[in-house]
Amino acid sequence: MSVILCTAGYDHTIRFWEALSGICSRTIQHPDSQVNRLCISPDKRLLAAAGHTSVKLYDIKSTNPNAVLTFEGHTGNVTGVAFHCEGKWMVTSSEDGTVKVWDTRSGTIQRSYSHGSAANDVVIHPNQGEIISCDRGGSVRVWDLGENNCSHQLIPEEDVSVSSVTVASDGSLLCAANNAGNVFVWSLRQGDVGTQLVPLTQFSAHKEYITRILLSPDVKKLATCSADHTARIWSVPLTDPDSPETPLMMNGHGTNTMHQQGLTNGDSHPKPFPLEATLTGHQRWVWDCAFSADSAYLVTACSDHYARLWELGSQNVIRQYNGHHRGAVCVALNDYSEAR
């Protein structure tokens, strides 16, 4: 099975799809709760499904409908999940205000970090040594696994919940999105004392909540999903790594806001990323999205029960996945030609 595409949501089922035909090839029941997030392991063997307080791990290649491992330890909805590049560990975020690192073989908690506010999303830096998470209180945090502490705290907009974060596959950019529909972008630079974050730009991407933000594998596109019933694709401009901006250096207690950093072009308006496409046709909130390996296609999951496969060049829906009888809120796709 070279293409693994799965969706889940509020109908307590996880569905596997034949991406090109649109046929549902397998359904797994998830009776404990709705499914909030899905993540496929880099070797395509395991699917993590984040639910109300637990994460269940399913064997993709087997027909066993039961989870092979259940990760228990959160006390609220699990909102984000990501795998280490070799699948040895997994990280989760939760509304209980914690980010946890788990051993994927034993299911035990290796680390637990406190946000002090419901955590909405978490990603792993490609260096595998840092994790980046965001919370309802409005902060983005970088956790240094080597130092075992919070190395940076960013507050892009006071008292506005940061809903989603994404980090570039080459480690060059960090993007965050919030409930005011705004996007914030930082350049990530490896310095002598760890990662430095340099604010690049911020812009209004939607008038409503942004539910998910995602950089494409080739780092040329940025997708935003929104409560306004659309997903948007933004062009990521090439940035000059030697531009003379001041790096944003902070300790775990420091905070900073964008406008203090001189993010502007002298006219107090930072340049937004160019809008490439607005994907319309969703009937309700668009909750999640996933890029294909070649960055040419995007799958979206929507409260209208459908997942859709978009060809980004033509901006057309080329396949609709119909089978959920309640909102589809999460999608995972792995169509890489070899296991990563």
Side-chain angles (χ1 to χ4, degrees):
M1 186 163 44
S2 61
V3 178
I4 299 165
L5 172 63
C6 37
T7 57
Y10 288 122
D11 64 0
H12 294 226
T13 65
I14 300 164
R15 293 178 179 267
F16 289 81
W17 304 90
E18 291 177 8
L20 295 177
S21 70
I23 294 169
C24 179
S25 56
R26 180 183 175 197
T27 302
I28 298 173
Q29 300 302 317
H30 190 274
D32 301 357
S33 74
Q34 82 281 0
V35 181
N36 301 316
R37 292 295 290 276
L38 293 170
C39 187
I40 300 163
S41 64
D43 63 6
K44 298 188 183 181
R45 295 192 62 84
L46 298 168
L47 174 71
H52 173 50
T53 58
S54 66
V55 177
K56 292 186 186 300
L57 219 53
Y58 296 94
D59 185 334
I60 290 173
K61 293 181 164 49
S62 111
T63 54
N64 178 8
N66 301 310
V68 293
L69 198 57
T70 300
F71 300 83
E72 292 179 296
H74 282 299
T75 58
N77 269 317
V78 183
T79 54
V81 57
F83 280 103
H84 168 253
C85 65
E86 290 168 15
K88 290 177 181 172
W89 50 270
M90 181 180 84
V91 62
T92 54
S93 58
S94 169
E95 289 179 354
D96 65 13
T98 68
V99 169
K100 296 187 191 302
V101 179
W102 309 78
D103 183 314
T104 47
R105 286 155 294 192
S106 65
T108 55
I109 298 170
Q110 304 288 295
R111 304 269 176 87
S112 186
Y113 298 118
S114 176
H115 259 269
S117 178
N120 289 327
D121 197 10
V122 63
V123 292
I124 301 173
H125 190 292
N127 64 20
Q128 308 296 304
E130 291 167 301
I131 54 180
I132 301 159
S133 52
C134 60
D135 68 36
R136 203 173 287 168
S139 70
V140 175
R141 292 176 187 260
V142 181
W143 308 92
D144 185 318
L145 296 176
E147 298 290 328
N148 199 19
N149 66 11
C150 175
S151 59
H152 300 80
Q153 181 186 0
L154 306 158
I155 301 181
E157 197 168 349
E158 292 285 346
D159 300 323
V160 181
S161 174
V162 182
S163 50
S164 184
V165 285
T166 180
V167 64
S169 58
D170 61 2
S172 62
L173 292 176
L174 168 65
C175 305
N178 72 11
N179 279 3
N182 296 324
V183 168
F184 302 86
V185 185
W186 296 265
S187 167
L188 298 180
R189 301 183 190 171
Q190 296 306 314
D192 300 334
V193 288
T195 298
Q196 300 176 0
L197 291 102
V198 182
L200 282 183
T201 188
Q202 66 182 77
F203 56 94
S204 172
H206 297 266
K207 297 273 195 291
E208 304 264 348
Y209 293 107
I210 298 176
T211 51
R212 181 74 63 241
I213 190 167
L214 187 64
L215 282 158
S216 61
D218 65 4
V219 201
K220 292 180 179 173
K221 296 178 170 70
L222 178 71
T224 52
C225 301
S226 173
D228 68 8
H229 304 188
T230 71
R232 287 186 165 163
I233 307 295
W234 308 83
S235 295
V236 178
L238 289 170
T239 55
D240 176 10
D242 301 314
S243 64
E245 296 144 316
T246 34
L248 183 53
M249 295 294 293
M250 284 177 295
N251 58 30
H253 308 290
T255 60
N256 229 312
T257 55
M258 284 289 213
H259 60 265
Q260 292 170 311
Q261 289 302 311
L263 246 200
T264 58
N265 302 335
D267 58 357
S268 81
H269 292 294
K271 280 186 181 165
F273 284 1
L275 179 62
E276 209 171 276
T278 299
L279 307 179
T280 58
H282 306 92
Q283 301 301 307
R284 293 189 185 169
W285 287 37
V286 187
W287 282 103
D288 198 8
C289 64
F291 279 100
S292 60
D294 64 3
S295 305
Y297 298 88
L298 186 79
V299 183
T300 55
C302 181
S303 290
D304 64 12
H305 309 187
Y306 293 105
R308 294 171 175 84
L309 174 65
W310 302 81
E311 183 182 48
L312 296 177
S314 65
Q315 302 174 28
N316 289 329
V317 177
I318 55 172
R319 193 65 67 236
Q320 197 155 274
Y321 305 98
N322 177 16
H324 287 290
H325 52 267
R326 292 187 69 188
V329 300
C330 51
V331 58
L333 171 66
N334 186 329
D335 67 330
Y336 285 86
S337 52
E338 69 281 332
R340 293 183 296 153

